[in-house]
Amino acid sequence: MTKARFITFEGTEGVGKTTAIDGFCRHLEDLGIAYVRTREPGGADVAEVIRQMLLSKDSVLHDDTELLLMFAARADHLHKTILPALDAGKWVVCDRFIDSTVAYQGFGRFGGDKQALARIELLIEQFVPCLPDVTLWLDLDVATGMMRAKSRSQADRFESLDTRFFDQVYQGLAHQFAKHPNRIRRVDASGSVEEVAVRIRQAVGV
Ligand code: T5A
């Protein structure tokens, strides 16, 4: 239990990541495991400013600008939060990471275009020095997730997009799961909060 572990949560809108992470972090506390909880975009001072730009409905962004802002925020987050925590022997529990970029930008914005995906892969290779040990893909049908998200808060710049965009995002996550079967674990996100929490603990093995 001593090896620092980097765990990321992924999914389409409203699948219940925040809720699942709340439960998972309580479980880590019960086990006496030191962790840092964080999120993307965001998780460090400059990255949080970039998050505001990315999520604000007032922002008009070219798809390339959006992609590069995601990576600018990620660099700030990695160097100020993730890497120092892992170096200090803490676990890092992160709401969204690189697979969201492949899904939202690569598939949602660029429609799964091979060249666009290759560019994103290159950015990951060049600017992401540590990959997650485990990624939990909370798998839920897009419509149910969007209903859950709507019940909770006002739509941001992404949540205002149409179902077709989120169907593409879902395809992107399925693509990543097929490509990285050792890192990514698919978790059925239907059912009660407690049922999902149990599946997550089993998937991580804690
Ligand atoms: N993005 C991010 C990119 O485009 N590229 C990138 O590279 C990255 C990193 C971030 C946005 O940025 C985009 C993706 C996102 O659009 P965000 O505000 O962090 O935006 O939003 P999300 O990550 O989508 O998270 P949400 O907060 O919208 O949803 P969650 O966290 O998945 O869901 P949660 O836990 O808030 O639950 C939603 C509702 O469902 C209920 C909850 O109580 C809540 O009301 N719920 C359940 N109901 C029934 N059964 C269950 N099992 C439930 N679990 C939760």
Side-chain angles (χ1 to χ4, degrees), residues 10-20 39-41 51 54-55 66 70 74 95-102 104-105 138 145 147-149 151-153 156 158-159 165-166 189-194 196:
E10 299 282 3
T12 46
E13 301 296 308
V15 290
K17 288 179 288 82
T18 307
T19 309
R39 66 174 180 182
E40 287 211 343
R51 177 186 173 92
L54 282 161
L55 297 193
E66 180 180 287
M70 287 293 174
R74 180 161 298 141
D95 190 341
R96 298 195 180 280
F97 196 57
I98 49 171
D99 302 296
S100 280
T101 315
V102 174
Y104 280 77
Q105 281 65 53
L138 299 200
M147 258 163 41
R148 283 185 186 176
S151 73
R152 189 217 42 200
S153 62
D156 61 33
F158 288 99
E159 287 163 348
F165 177 88
F166 294 109
S190 66
S192 71
V193 170
E194 186 46 39
V196 177

